[in-house]
Amino acid sequence: MKIVTFYFVILKEDLMVSTATKVGNFTFDNCLMNAAGVYCMTKEELAEVEASAAGSFVTKTGTLEARPGNPEPRYVNVPLGSINSMGLPNNGFEYYLDYVIELQNQPNTKNHFLSVVGLSPEETHTILKKVQKSDYEGLVELNLSCPNVPGKPQIAYDFETTTDILTEVFSYFTKPLGVKLPPYFDIVHFDQAAAVFNQFPLVFVNCVNSIGNGLYIEDESVVIKPKNGFGGIGGDYIKPTALANVHAFYQRLKPEIQIIGTGGVKSGRDAFEHILCGASMVQVGTALQKEGVTIFDRITKELKEIMAKKGYETLEDFRGKLHYIDR
């Protein structure tokens, strides 16, 4: 009898537990993927993620023209995460657009996310109109949250501008589109942002980008050069903020707008918590930068072990089912 019971546990963990997921009409064998900005600058880096256990990849946020970004040092690993002020270095959106089109025409390819943004509303529309006319059939992410371009505010903190941009975008853009968001910190801002997003046929929102304009000091000096050391904070520092944003939007957005959870993910437990708060997919950023693409195997294994222990066979068994203290 003991032998039969042991065999059942192995069978359940290995064959019944699945981390597959769905965003819009797109399916993914695994809910884990990279966060934009990590392992996505070049085709070679994207190919590494493509060949890994990750269920998908998102490209580096592409602008209308290629950008060198901010001066270095602009990214530094710190004990509980990272600080960066990259300044949107990228090879131009057409570089990434061409690559995802190339991949989608290959057999057994994964579904992908193309991340884009303009340095002005006009540039954003120019980019999206070209994507609309292209042969690309995957998901598109409009990054409304870059915190590290000097002189450029985060679009998503301006609800009027966000509404204007999305209104015009959806007057011509018919492909599946989502938005990358900065962290919000006030309940009323969750309410106001959700009211904006619920007006539009968005497929997903991605919560969150790094917490903008943090400062890390070693001895008597800042550790990055741009903006006198001010930069976006990632890693362990931001997980509670990321979880709060994921769950706040899960509570407020219409069901057809799904959530990608990003922030502080370095273990299966971290991924589990993002899904528990309502995420359909989970992105790995700082930890991926530190550990490399083998992290997807490790986190997937840890997540499956947690699911098996709790008796969950699919992500839908626990997605969004965060418990509250009622008494």
Side-chain angles (χ1 to χ4, degrees):
M1 184 65 182
K2 290 183 179 179
I3 294 176
V4 173
T5 302
F6 178 73
Y7 177 76
F8 173 75
V9 172
I10 295 296
L11 183 67
K12 182 172 184 178
E13 181 176 337
D14 288 351
L15 299 183
M16 296 179 66
V17 174
S18 170
T19 58
T21 192
K22 189 174 181 182
V23 174
N25 295 322
F26 298 84
T27 58
F28 304 89
D29 290 340
N30 192 359
C31 63
L32 299 174
M33 59 184 293
N34 69 305
V38 184
Y39 267 84
C40 59
M41 181 70 173
T42 66
K43 295 177 182 179
E44 291 74 21
E45 289 180 331
L46 289 167
E48 286 191 60
V49 180
E50 176 78 359
S52 76
S56 180
F57 69 61
V58 59
T59 64
K60 186 76 174 71
T61 298
T63 50
L64 188 59
E65 305 292 341
R67 288 174 54 85
N70 292 338
E72 296 182 346
R74 58 192 185 187
Y75 176 98
V76 173
N77 288 321
V78 296
L80 294 179
S82 63
I83 182 169
N84 84 88
S85 182
M86 301 299 290
L88 277 176
N90 71 95
N91 292 322
F93 85 97
E94 290 183 311
Y95 173 92
Y96 305 105
L97 177 61
D98 290 344
Y99 184 58
V100 290
I101 292 174
E102 174 188 331
L103 286 182
Q104 79 183 13
N105 294 324
Q106 296 179 4
N108 302 316
T109 189
K110 300 173 182 178
N111 293 312
H112 303 112
F113 294 77
L114 174 72
S115 182
V116 299
V117 73
L119 298 182
S120 67
E122 293 74 25
E123 285 192 6
T124 294
H125 295 307
T126 297
I127 292 168
L128 288 176
K129 286 177 180 177
K130 288 187 176 183
V131 175
Q132 174 69 28
K133 292 178 181 178
S134 75
D135 294 329
Y136 179 56
E137 299 173 352
L139 290 142
V140 180
E141 176 180 275
L142 177 58
N143 188 344
L144 300 180
S145 62
C146 184
N148 297 313
V149 178
K152 300 289 183 181
Q154 295 197 55
I155 298 169
Y157 285 152
D158 184 332
F159 297 129
E160 183 177 350
T161 297
T162 298
T163 301
D164 291 343
I165 289 174
L166 291 178
T167 298
E168 185 168 349
V169 165
F170 284 109
S171 71
Y172 61 82
F173 198 82
T174 60
K175 296 184 176 183
L177 180 74
V179 291
K180 177 73 172 283
L181 300 177
Y184 296 98
F185 302 98
D186 196 301
I187 296 297
V188 70
H189 293 153
F190 292 133
D191 295 337
Q192 292 171 339
V196 170
F197 302 137
N198 280 332
Q199 298 175 45
F200 301 100
L202 292 167
V203 176
F204 67 90
V205 299
N206 187 343
C207 307
V208 292
N209 206 331
S210 57
I211 297 176
N213 295 315
L215 193 64
Y216 191 87
I217 298 170
E218 289 183 348
D219 192 14
E220 297 180 4
S221 175
V222 300
V223 295
I224 57 174
K225 184 175 181 179
K227 297 165 62 179
N228 290 329
F230 284 73
I233 301 298
D236 293 5
Y237 299 106
I238 77 168
K239 192 179 82 166
T241 297
L243 293 176
N245 276 257
V246 168
H247 196 57
F249 282 112
Y250 180 77
Q251 293 173 308
R252 290 165 173 78
L253 293 178
K254 54 189 180 182
E256 54 266 39
I257 303 179
Q258 291 169 272
I259 299 167
I260 298 174
T262 308
V265 177
K266 66 177 184 181
S267 70
R269 176 67 198 187
D270 298 327
F272 178 82
E273 291 177 9
H274 270 271
I275 298 161
L276 189 67
C277 286
S280 294
M281 292 195 80
V282 178
Q283 294 186 346
V284 186
T286 296
L288 171 60
Q289 179 71 34
K290 292 182 176 183
E291 189 171 329
V293 296
T294 57
I295 195 172
F296 294 116
D297 288 290
R298 178 177 63 76
I299 294 179
T300 301
K301 181 176 182 292
E302 292 172 358
L303 176 57
K304 284 185 174 182
E305 287 172 351
I306 293 170
M307 291 172 63
K309 183 177 181 181
K310 292 180 174 291
Y312 298 138
E313 296 182 5
T314 71
L315 304 188
E316 291 306 308
D317 290 341
F318 65 99
R319 187 171 69 88
K321 297 178 182 178
L322 181 66
H323 297 174
Y324 307 127
I325 300 174
D326 296 324
R327 59 183 179 182

